[in-house]
Amino acid sequence: MSRQVVRSSKFRHVFGQPAKADQCYEDVRVSQTTWDSGFCAVNPKFMALICEASGGGAFLVLPLGKTGRVDKNVPLVCGHTAPVLDIAWCPHNDNVIASGSEDCTVMVWEIPDGGLVLPLREPVITLEGHTKRVGIVAWHPTAQNVLLSAGCDNVILVWDVGTGAAVLTLGPDVHPDTIYSVDWSRDGALICTSCRDKRVRVIEPRKGTVVAEKDRPHEGTRPVHAVFVSEGKILTTGFSRMSERQVALWDTKHLEEPLSLQELDTSSGVLLPFFDPDTNIVYLCGKGDSSIRYFEITSEAPFLHYLSMFSSKESQRGMGYMPKRGLEVNKCEIARFYKLHERKCEPIAMTVPRKSDLFQEDLYPPTAGPDPALTAEEWLGGRDAGPLLISLKDGYVPPKSRELRVNRGLDSARRRATPEPSGTPSSDTVSRLEEDVRNLNAIVQKLQERLDRLEETVQAK
């Protein structure tokens, strides 16, 4: 009688642990927009999520520790004139976030350390170049101030945020239809895209050349998402001809056949992949699902190994993924997700069960730190570099806040640089100041009501 040999892996028993109620963000109005992005972005300082807003687009930014019930008058980032579709924190500055919107613009914002006290309407810079809505924003992983945006005009623009200029353009000749996903390689030399024309492409953005291309990685008609994983491989999620959800692993040098192709289920939600290069684990989160599946990628056949699945009762409207430097290493936490419900954001910790409280070096190899390896000019000049690595052994200590320097002479947000004639503020400026005053008055009134209640309680005693 033959015995089945179970593959040895230190990640076989990874389990998901949802946060307690007081560690969640309650009473948030998550955006109802139908768009396949995560709607949430997190870093070691802040949690940001795209929320419902009347008369334009807005997103909420809260300090990570400010959990519990969120005040309905909490200040928002609200400079867009149409719904926000995607947000992304800068990997080299935890106070800087980019947003793409249906108003065809990309805006870059600077959040003060303690969070917002008043609504933030003026971005550091506005990047204008798309002619249709902007659905994807992605920062370069190693070069400073380099930001990619993809719009429904089938154009990818690479921006130097320091000057506000679009330094690279991949036009509709590269992508003839809607772009579903864009992902940078670990050193930022290549990008991987999936498109409505049912092709996945690996592109060298500085030359504008397609390095590799795969037609119909999945036979179905629903959107495909693609990300770079380890050793030059690509992982794709999509649908079969029978509308079954699939995950596939590809070698970019041999795209004829997948290294691995697995069918998952028949749900209709698009699977968003999140890859951790330190552990070689990929997490699949489906919009509308109530589960997170995770797989380990190895260099030997069958390459893609199913580990487990975290399930809960409520479905997810979006998902945020914490960078490794924001995790609690003393609890053996290897990933943390921020699951968006309809009215709540719930952190979910992925943990490896270990008995020892000591630092587990095998779980935490040196990881990408907050310092850029290259300047924008060096990267545009042809240089590539992997991320500058840091050790998490003594815990991560965030660096001091860095100011985002923008050359105003080339800033496309010319409204901020234009002086008002004869020193008189414009009607827009006056109306914004009046609204800020009204918000401050509402806050003062609430504080006064709380003081009155406290005095009544003291008198009663």
Side-chain angles (χ1 to χ4, degrees):
M1 182 179 174
S2 64
R3 294 177 62 188
Q4 187 178 4
V5 178
V6 177
R7 188 182 69 89
S8 173
S9 169
K10 57 193 168 197
F11 302 115
R12 264 186 62 216
H13 301 291
V14 171
F15 66 96
Q17 182 71 42
K20 294 178 180 175
D22 62 339
Q23 296 301 308
C24 297
Y25 306 86
E26 302 272 0
D27 249 15
V28 291
R29 295 177 300 156
V30 178
S31 173
Q32 304 285 330
T33 308
T34 53
W35 186 255
D36 291 325
S37 74
F39 286 2
C40 181
V42 287
N43 67 20
K45 281 187 180 179
F46 299 104
M47 184 278 299
L49 63 87
I50 303 171
C51 57
E52 279 291 290
S54 56
F59 60 96
L60 169 70
V61 178
L62 292 173
L64 215 57
K66 198 173 179 180
T67 54
R69 190 172 296 278
V70 176
D71 193 303
K72 66 178 180 179
N73 293 320
V74 65
L76 303 175
V77 182
C78 49
H80 286 286
T81 58
V84 177
L85 298 179
D86 197 19
I87 49 177
W89 288 105
C90 176
H92 309 125
N93 188 335
D94 286 343
N95 294 69
V96 172
I97 187 169
S99 58
S101 165
E102 285 190 15
D103 64 10
C104 309
T105 66
V106 176
M107 293 184 179
V108 179
W109 311 84
E110 195 159 16
I111 309 297
D113 266 342
L116 297 178
V117 180
L118 295 171
L120 184 59
R121 294 186 179 85
E122 290 289 348
V124 176
I125 195 164
T126 302
L127 307 172
E128 296 171 329
H130 288 283
T131 56
K132 291 188 179 178
R133 58 183 181 170
V134 181
I136 299 168
V137 287
W139 292 91
H140 192 288
T142 60
Q144 189 172 24
N145 285 351
V146 175
L147 176 67
L148 176 149
S149 64
C152 290
D153 49 6
N154 311 335
V155 172
I156 290 177
L157 295 175
V158 178
W159 306 87
D160 181 349
V161 174
T163 63
V167 289
L168 299 170
T169 303
L170 298 173
D173 54 322
V174 181
H175 297 95
D177 213 329
T178 306
I179 300 162
Y180 287 141
S181 72
V182 182
D183 187 54
W184 289 98
S185 61
R186 188 161 164 79
D187 63 356
L190 302 169
I191 59 172
C192 170
T193 68
S194 62
C195 180
R196 196 174 182 176
D197 68 352
K198 300 184 176 60
R199 289 176 182 267
V200 168
R201 297 170 175 87
V202 178
I203 301 167
E204 213 293 14
R206 287 165 296 195
K207 296 176 182 174
T209 55
V210 178
V211 179
E213 190 174 32
K214 174 62 183 173
D215 186 27
R216 303 185 77 91
H218 301 276
E219 292 291 331
T221 56
R222 300 292 315 283
V224 169
H225 279 245
V227 292
F228 278 108
V229 293
S230 53
E231 299 170 355
K233 297 184 181 74
I234 289 173
L235 182 127
T236 60
T237 62
F239 293 79
S240 71
R241 194 171 286 163
M242 303 298 291
S243 294
E244 293 170 307
R245 292 199 294 193
Q246 296 177 322
V247 57
L249 188 67
W250 307 83
D251 185 344
T252 52
K253 296 181 180 66
H254 308 285
L255 286 171
E256 300 81 27
E257 291 294 327
L259 297 171
S260 175
L261 176 66
Q262 297 187 26
E263 292 189 345
L264 303 175
D265 56 28
T266 54
S267 294
S268 59
V270 174
L271 287 166
L272 305 177
F274 298 90
F275 176 65
D276 178 5
D278 299 337
T279 58
N280 281 329
I281 294 178
V282 65
Y283 302 87
L284 304 183
C285 309
K287 296 196 81 169
D289 288 12
S290 55
S291 61
I292 302 171
R293 290 181 174 84
Y294 32 108
F295 297 77
E296 186 176 2
I297 297 171
T298 59
S299 54
E300 299 170 355
F303 302 106
L304 189 64
H305 307 269
Y306 174 75
L307 290 172
S308 189
M309 179 168 67
F310 165 80
S311 295
S312 58
K313 291 180 181 177
E314 294 187 60
S315 61
Q316 55 225 21
R317 299 188 61 84
M319 195 68 76
Y321 179 64
M322 175 66 79
K324 190 61 67 77
R325 54 197 171 88
L327 304 181
E328 295 190 43
V329 295
N330 58 335
K331 294 183 179 178
C332 296
E333 184 182 28
I334 61 166
R336 191 189 309 151
F337 290 91
Y338 285 72
K339 173 181 172 178
L340 300 187
H341 302 244
E342 195 168 343
R343 303 279 299 185
K344 182 172 78 168
C345 175
E346 176 186 40
I348 298 167
M350 296 293 178
T351 307
V352 177
R354 294 277 172 98
K355 291 181 179 177
S356 172
D357 290 335
L358 299 174
F359 180 73
Q360 308 291 316
E361 293 199 25
D362 59 326
L363 298 183
Y364 301 103
T367 191
D371 294 316
L374 300 168
T375 64
E377 293 77 17
E378 287 172 336
W379 180 74
L380 289 166
R383 281 187 60 189
D384 292 317
L388 299 179
L389 304 180
I390 59 170
S391 171
L392 299 176
K393 186 167 187 178
D394 299 318
Y396 170 68
V397 180
K400 288 183 180 178
S401 296
R402 306 166 182 178
E403 187 183 356
L404 176 62
R405 290 187 174 86
V406 172
N407 184 343
R408 294 289 180 195
L410 295 170
D411 185 352
S412 60
R414 294 184 185 88
R415 291 168 299 169
R416 295 188 65 185
T418 305
E420 301 290 353
S422 68
T424 307
S426 68
S427 58
D428 285 351
T429 306
V430 171
S431 63
R432 285 200 294 268
L433 286 170
E434 286 174 347
E435 189 175 339
D436 290 344
V437 169
R438 284 196 295 273
N439 288 333
L440 279 171
N441 287 337
I443 292 168
V444 169
Q445 190 176 350
K446 284 195 170 185
L447 287 170
Q448 188 61 51
E449 289 171 1
R450 288 180 185 174
L451 278 171
D452 293 343
R453 283 199 296 271
L454 277 171
E455 284 177 3
E456 289 171 6
T457 307
V458 170
Q459 288 170 1
K461 289 182 177 178

